[in-house]
Amino acid sequence: MKSPSNRLNELRKLAATLETPAATRIARLQQAGEHAERFLESLPKRDVYGAAGPREAAMAAFAIPQHPEPFDEALQVLDQYVDGIGHNLGSSRFFAYIPSGGLHDSAVADYLAAVSNRYGGVGAAAPGAARLEHTMLRWLADVVGYPDTAEGDLTSGGSMAALSAVVAAREANKIRSSDVPSAVVYLTTHTHHTFRKALHVAGLGECVIREIPLDASMRMDCDRLQESIRVDQNAGLRPWLIGASAGTTDTGSVDALDRVADIAAESNVWMHVDAAYGGAFALCEEGRRRLKGIERSDSMILDPHKGFFLPCGIGVVLVRDGHKLFDAYHARGAYMQDVAGDKERSPCDYSAELTRPSRALRFWLPFKVHGSQAFAAALEEKLLLAQHFYENCENIEGIELGPVPDLSIVTFRFCPVSTDADVATRALLEAIRRDGRVFLTSTTIAGQFTIRMAILTYHTHLEDVDLALKVIKECTAQIEAGGRNDK
Ligand SMILES: *Cc1c(COP(=O)(O)O)cnc(C)c1O
């Protein structure tokens, strides 16, 4: 037999670079740490939105080399073509969409989790990681007031969490494909679009969708919900799912969850709550008060990469009767028979995923080193800052405010006497963009162009919100003066 040893030796030599020696590992970690510090230190001075530069240059810089290239060159590529380009989510002056904090401890945790590379899907493969994950889910279930029966899963984000909840609801309600055309789902125009997407992905896109009108506070009109369910039941349809919101992305409004829970209970409909943005507020007393009733839902989602200030990449689904999540997802392959009798809880039994990173560490470490009290305080602070913004915006001439904020989003329009309000509000957002000191975005509410002020990063404080007020005041005055000069 011909010996493979020459080729083996050759291949081994070529691949040897993959075995990074200890001294190099330590040096790279040091370099990466310094790189990270430079970025973090630059953040307060950076524009909230960084321009991208030419695409071709970036794509060329990213090209995969055949041979090793220096580590510091890679960091330079990141510095020049990735970091700081686009939204700087970690900026204290980022008031757009839903801000995401990016706690540093989470980044360190991701590093540690990747280094020890625990197999996050199966309990027997990584009992410690599985228990850590279970601890975080249990803790969060307690925070939102779910009972001991609750189960959950750490997902990559809110969209996947919503998909998981919808599938659990579908299975628990035994909605088969032939049932879909007569099965009715209730939501509002402000129910997050990813909930509809989840229905679509779960094969439920052809359910009857009832868009329940919003009341003046931008919450689901519960009288209409109740009426709509009654009418559908009488018509022989099958109401089965309500998509309520605990903090819509548009206005931050929280549906009357207690009332929705009453209606869901009396009509035997699954109540799902999208608390991707708002759920974290359950950590502080004032937030808990505003989310009252959420504990009566059948399922909910939360996004720790929003309200718990973690970097992007973590969502949570919780299901009140945990076995319903288990029943929707438990599955095993023959090759897994060696761990069949293992009693350790396995994340894959509650998830569409098998192999996945151990996500608990990035969630646990920040709470471990800062304590939950710091998070509760930061969240209560955001509620107060939104109130402060609302009250002070009222004094800016021409500003017309949306509803009193349920959480930490305030909506407003610019309605000077002389100009069309839509035109003026667009002009105001454009002026704020050009000014660049703060970053806000818009939405459309009942056909009207509306600006949103979303306050959610941990390092946004009173001076940042006051700066936003100052910018708005200056920009509105400028537009008014410009309008006068045109005449
Ligand atoms: C962000 C958000 C989602 C979607 O979550 P992702 O983490 O972006 O997938 C769903 N609902 C609400 C209310 C949100 O704010």
Side-chain angles (χ1 to χ4, degrees):
M1 209 167 78
K2 198 177 144 213
S3 162
S5 68
N6 281 349
R7 183 61 180 153
L8 275 176
N9 281 335
E10 201 179 345
L11 293 173
R12 186 175 178 153
K13 246 199 300 334
L14 286 170
T17 175
L18 298 177
E19 310 264 9
T20 312
T24 311
R25 290 199 299 263
I26 291 164
R28 284 184 183 171
L29 198 52
Q30 170 102 23
Q31 279 175 284
E34 285 164 9
H35 172 92
E37 273 318 301
R38 274 196 302 279
F39 173 75
L40 292 173
E41 273 171 27
S42 75
L43 212 45
K45 285 163 266 149
R46 274 177 197 269
D47 283 342
V48 189
Y49 186 87
R55 182 180 173 82
E56 295 70 27
M59 301 303 272
F62 297 152
I64 301 295
Q66 195 176 358
H67 303 291
E69 289 184 0
F71 185 73
D72 55 355
E73 222 173 281
L75 293 180
Q76 271 169 34
V77 168
L78 288 185
D79 187 44
Q80 195 169 351
Y81 297 107
V82 181
D83 302 343
I85 288 174
H87 294 142
N88 281 311
L89 292 176
S91 168
S92 63
R93 296 162 287 125
F94 186 91
F95 300 114
Y97 309 105
I98 304 286
S100 168
L103 280 175
H104 184 259
D105 318 285
S106 252
V108 174
D110 275 351
Y111 165 75
L112 294 172
V115 165
S116 76
N117 199 21
R118 297 299 88 191
Y119 190 87
V122 177
R131 290 169 192 172
L132 188 65
E133 174 157 339
H134 199 198
T135 302
M136 292 317 292
L137 290 166
R138 269 305 341 145
W139 172 77
L140 201 50
D142 285 342
V143 167
V144 298
Y146 264 7
D148 290 344
T149 55
E151 262 297 352
D153 184 36
L154 297 183
T155 65
S156 56
S159 304
M160 295 310 289
L163 177 60
S164 203
V166 161
V167 169
R170 183 193 69 197
E171 292 307 296
N173 282 276
K174 299 192 167 55
I175 306 286
R176 299 290 161 253
S177 47
S178 57
D179 304 318
V180 167
S182 59
V184 194
V185 180
Y186 303 84
L187 38 73
T188 74
T189 36
H190 284 184
T191 300
H192 202 271
H193 70 274
T194 52
F195 182 69
R196 285 179 189 255
K197 195 196 241 184
L199 292 170
H200 163 73
V201 176
L204 300 163
E206 286 159 19
C207 281
V208 180
I209 307 280
R210 298 274 184 242
E211 223 173 68
I212 305 300
L214 297 164
D215 64 16
S217 301
M218 298 291 130
R219 304 176 188 138
M220 185 184 278
D221 183 332
C222 287
D223 290 339
R224 300 287 290 272
L225 171 67
Q226 191 171 33
E227 175 65 10
S228 191
I229 291 176
R230 201 185 52 76
V231 168
D232 287 334
Q233 273 168 341
N234 290 343
L237 295 173
R238 188 170 159 195
W240 72 283
L241 176 61
I242 302 170
S245 301
T248 62
T249 305
D250 289 279
T251 67
S253 298
V254 180
D255 290 337
L257 299 174
D258 248 334
R259 179 82 202 286
V260 175
D262 288 341
I263 295 167
E266 79 193 15
S267 47
N268 199 23
V269 173
W270 182 287
M271 174 183 175
H272 171 74
V273 179
D274 181 345
Y277 151 63
F281 288 99
L283 202 55
C284 68
E285 209 178 309
E286 180 56 27
R288 249 189 324 276
R289 203 178 59 70
R290 298 187 195 186
L291 296 172
K292 200 176 165 304
I294 196 169
E295 72 285 352
R296 296 173 62 199
S297 62
D298 295 291
S299 62
M300 74 173 84
I301 63 164
L302 297 94
D303 255 353
H305 63 207
K306 291 175 179 162
F308 289 140
F309 321 123
L310 307 191
C312 297
I314 185 165
V316 182
V317 57
L318 292 174
V319 175
R320 153 185 287 279
D321 293 329
H323 65 89
K324 291 178 179 165
L325 189 60
F326 181 90
D327 291 347
Y329 283 112
H330 175 72
R332 282 286 186 275
Y335 70 91
M336 294 166 84
Q337 62 192 12
D338 301 342
V339 293
D342 194 82
K343 290 285 175 287
E344 205 64 59
R345 178 190 182 278
S346 280
C348 70
D349 284 331
Y350 301 89
S351 168
E353 292 180 299
L354 179 59
T355 306
R356 36 109 109 194
S358 173
R359 296 193 176 104
L361 195 56
R362 68 193 332 262
F363 192 3
W364 175 78
L365 189 62
F367 279 91
K368 173 76 179 169
V369 299
H370 300 292
S372 63
Q373 178 182 281
F375 288 82
L379 285 157
E380 188 182 336
E381 180 193 25
K382 302 305 159 261
L383 295 176
L384 285 173
L385 288 175
Q387 207 170 314
H388 171 81
F389 179 84
Y390 188 88
E391 284 161 10
N392 286 275
C393 230
E394 241 166 357
N395 303 328
I396 300 176
E397 218 172 291
I399 292 293
E400 214 163 79
L401 285 156
V404 174
D406 280 346
L407 297 172
S408 69
I409 297 173
V410 179
T411 57
F412 58 95
R413 283 164 52 79
F414 183 35
C415 310
V417 266
S418 54
T419 326
D420 173 76
D422 253 37
V423 173
T425 308
R426 275 177 205 277
L428 174 57
L429 186 63
E430 196 43 51
I432 296 170
R433 286 274 172 82
R434 267 197 314 272
D435 177 276
R437 282 176 287 175
V438 295
F439 189 67
L440 282 75
T441 47
S442 69
T443 185
T444 300
I445 297 174
Q448 299 189 316
F449 188 91
T450 304
I451 303 179
R452 311 161 59 256
M453 169 85 177
I455 304 169
L456 201 63
T457 84
Y458 59 96
H459 45 201
T460 294
H461 302 297
L462 186 61
E463 61 271 24
D464 303 297
V465 173
D466 280 341
L467 177 64
L469 285 162
K470 184 170 175 300
V471 170
I472 292 165
K473 203 166 179 169
E474 287 172 14
C475 290
T476 50
Q478 253 170 41
I479 294 169
E480 290 260 48
R484 274 196 299 277
N485 293 342
D486 287 346
K487 294 226 169 85

